Amino acid sequence: MPFIPHTEDDIQSMLATIGVDTIDDLFDEIDPRLRDVSLDSIPPRASEQAVSRLMQERAARDAGGLCFIGAGAYEHHIPAAVWELTTRGEFYSAYTPYQPEASQGTLQVVYEYQTMMTGLTGMDVANASLYDGASALAEAVLMAVRANRKSKSARILMPASMHPFYRQVARNICANQGIVFETVAYEPGTGRIDSADLERWAGEDVTALVIPQPNFFGVLEDVDTLTDWAQANGALAIGVINPLALAVLKEPGRWGTGEGADIVVGEGQPLGAPLASGGPYFGILCCRKKHVRQMPGRVVGRTQDMDGRTGYVLTLQPREQHIRRSKATSNICTNQGLLVTAATIHMSLLGATGLENTAATCIANTRALVQRLTAIDGVERVFDSAAFHETVLRLPANAQRVLDALAERGIFGGLALADFYDGLQDTVLVCATETKTEADLDAYAQALRTVLAEQADAA
């Protein structure tokens, strides 16, 4: 039983002082569906053994089947050595490296990760310790508001083609801090940011423009033009990237005709993190050197001791949050170092050539899958733009019902987009990574042909 120092009288006295009746009243702004979690699905009086068996059976539902779902989390091959090394005791249970004399191994891993990430993105500085890609975008927005001192509007231009979950997380974290998000539409034919809609903000006070590459639809944006537009209008350019795509695409540090993107964020999951039912993953955040003082998390640097030996230290770590309150740089203490370690080992094993080959195979497999699926009557591509990793297809039937029927056949066929976008009813976002074979692609095409025929007969 945990020690609770307050008596019932103490609790009632404090509640009366605050002016509420119960402790639950302190959390009334939280959706009841999130607070009132039912355990009815666990059998009553079940033993530990029975509950463990139940959880194992439910976890097994995630196993097997062919996965063609992307949408921000991707099934990639992870060399066995990655997690064999990552789960060694010195990495697996290491605490945040506040004492450099006892944490040289951990600090060196983070330093090597930062070096690789700046090389991949073409940026000056990379940090560590962000939770995931969505919260990394929110941190980049907060960072941009602090860094762009010429802008007073705290206005962020957020493309509709940005991942819906990223947009939601950014608003949840930032909206109550006076930050305004303005949506920029996408072109129905191409899936790219609508340049005409973007021009509505030309000459206005804009703090930052978010530029996804590729965007949520897998479409490649005209990042050079968008970056130049942002800088010509006094806004910072925030790039949101898939790190694997950077093995074959221009790095954000060279976007546009000027100095490139100002801040770059992304989801690190493609670099050695398994799908794992949704996590844990880690967030990427890089920036130009002049913005480094506004960067959240921590930065590891390399130096020399008095005897000339190489050593690693925490060069920058936010510690002013206690006095600066809402204006403070985020001090993210719950370290994602384990995932960063896996990513560092993963990138070391694959190297530049391995990453490029993986990315190229993903492009080829997705193209081959689309060719097979669009050969089926009624299935067509929605956008005609160049794409990386995934593509949006329109089906001649309700997309979610089709996906449910495919899942019953052991094929996870993609993500239905109707819940996220008006005008994209009966569409599905499909992805084929390097893990898929020709036989896998044929199996999906055959299953889709069968499901569509069955649903047409039923109608």
Side-chain angles (χ1 to χ4, degrees):
M1 186 72 181
F3 174 66
I4 301 175
H6 306 301
T7 66
E8 186 60 31
D9 289 340
D10 292 334
I11 294 172
Q12 292 304 319
S13 176
M14 287 188 284
L15 292 175
T17 300
I18 296 172
V20 297
D21 296 326
T22 68
I23 292 177
D24 286 342
D25 292 338
L26 300 176
F27 305 96
D28 60 358
E29 72 275 12
I30 300 176
D31 191 319
R33 293 173 298 177
L34 301 178
R35 290 190 292 123
D36 300 331
V37 179
S38 172
L39 300 179
D40 293 342
S41 57
I42 297 178
R45 296 181 299 279
S47 65
E48 177 184 346
Q49 177 178 321
V51 172
S52 297
R53 177 66 178 270
L54 176 64
M55 299 307 294
Q56 289 168 359
E57 291 173 349
R58 293 188 176 180
R61 297 176 185 174
D62 290 340
L66 294 174
C67 181
F68 294 91
I69 307 173
Y74 304 95
E75 183 182 38
H76 290 295
H77 171 68
I78 302 172
V82 171
W83 284 94
E84 183 67 26
L85 295 173
T86 302
T87 52
R88 287 176 60 95
E90 55 265 42
F91 293 131
Y92 196 64
S93 59
Y95 186 58
T96 299
Y98 290 126
Q99 296 174 286
E101 66 276 11
S103 306
Q104 283 299 292
T106 301
L107 290 166
Q108 182 176 354
V109 167
V110 176
Y111 179 83
E112 299 293 349
Y113 161 79
Q114 292 171 178
T115 303
M116 293 178 184
M117 202 53 64
T118 54
L120 198 60
T121 62
M123 303 300 288
D124 297 327
V125 188
N127 77 348
S129 298
L130 295 179
Y131 299 127
D132 54 29
S135 59
L137 175 57
E139 290 293 346
V141 168
L142 295 172
M143 183 177 169
V145 171
R146 295 191 300 267
N148 192 347
R149 298 177 184 270
K150 295 180 180 178
S151 173
K152 306 301 181 184
S153 67
R155 176 184 289 149
I156 308 297
L157 301 187
M158 181 72 74
S161 58
M162 189 64 240
H163 196 304
F165 293 169
Y166 283 44
R167 288 186 277 135
Q168 184 178 11
V169 169
R171 283 186 169 87
N172 288 346
I173 293 176
C174 303
N176 288 333
Q177 301 190 48
I179 296 173
V180 179
F181 290 92
E182 304 286 359
T183 301
V184 182
Y186 65 88
E187 296 174 341
T190 67
R192 294 195 186 104
I193 291 174
D194 188 333
S195 57
D197 192 49
L198 181 61
E199 280 302 313
R200 291 189 298 132
W201 306 105
E204 299 288 331
D205 182 357
V206 174
T207 302
L209 169 65
V210 176
I211 307 173
Q213 181 71 336
N215 66 27
F216 181 61
F217 306 132
V219 169
L220 300 183
E221 298 280 2
D222 184 357
V223 294
D224 292 333
T225 299
L226 294 169
T227 302
D228 286 344
W229 185 95
Q231 293 173 354
N233 285 274
L236 299 188
I238 301 175
V240 183
I241 52 89
N242 178 330
L244 183 60
L246 294 183
V248 293
L249 299 178
K250 179 191 289 189
E251 59 267 38
R254 296 195 301 116
W255 288 358
T257 57
E259 298 178 322
D262 294 280
I263 306 170
V264 176
V265 299
E267 173 56 66
Q269 183 272 329
L271 302 177
L275 288 174
S277 298
Y281 301 151
F282 72 95
I284 297 165
L285 196 153
C286 307
C287 71
R288 286 154 57 181
K289 186 176 180 180
K290 68 180 181 179
H291 302 315
V292 69
R293 291 282 177 183
Q294 303 299 335
M295 177 179 276
R298 49 182 61 85
V299 176
V300 175
R302 185 174 66 180
T303 186
Q304 289 185 337
D305 66 11
M306 294 178 63
D307 297 321
R309 296 174 299 184
T310 297
Y312 300 89
V313 295
L314 285 176
T315 303
L316 290 174
Q317 53 177 325
R319 269 305 184 196
E320 77 281 7
Q321 77 278 12
H322 305 296
I323 56 174
R324 289 178 57 82
R325 300 176 69 83
S326 64
K327 295 182 179 180
T329 301
S330 299
N331 179 33
I332 303 169
C333 283
T334 304
N335 202 323
Q336 295 299 89
L338 190 69
L339 281 303
V340 164
T341 300
T344 305
I345 297 171
H346 185 84
M347 288 187 284
S348 299
L349 291 173
L350 268 64
T353 301
L355 289 172
E356 183 178 351
N357 290 341
T358 300
T361 305
C362 290
I363 294 171
N365 280 352
T366 299
R367 183 180 296 124
L369 176 64
V370 170
Q371 289 175 346
R372 284 168 168 79
L373 299 186
T374 53
I376 302 171
D377 288 343
V379 180
E380 59 184 11
R381 285 186 64 185
V382 174
F383 305 121
D384 61 4
S385 301
F388 174 83
H389 225 207
E390 45 207 331
T391 302
V392 181
L393 300 178
R394 177 167 280 109
L395 306 180
N398 180 277
Q400 190 58 59
R401 285 202 296 268
V402 170
L403 293 177
D404 292 342
L406 288 172
E408 293 176 358
R409 290 167 167 78
I411 293 176
F412 306 116
L415 177 70
L417 298 183
D419 290 341
F420 305 108
Y421 293 94
D422 293 333
L424 290 182
Q425 283 72 25
D426 301 332
T427 63
V428 60
L429 184 67
V430 299
C431 172
T433 67
E434 83 285 1
T435 62
K436 299 299 173 286
T437 65
E438 293 287 326
D440 295 336
L441 305 182
D442 290 337
Y444 186 178
Q446 182 56 48
L448 180 60
R449 184 175 285 107
T450 300
V451 167
L452 290 176
E454 291 176 351
Q455 295 196 358
D457 290 342

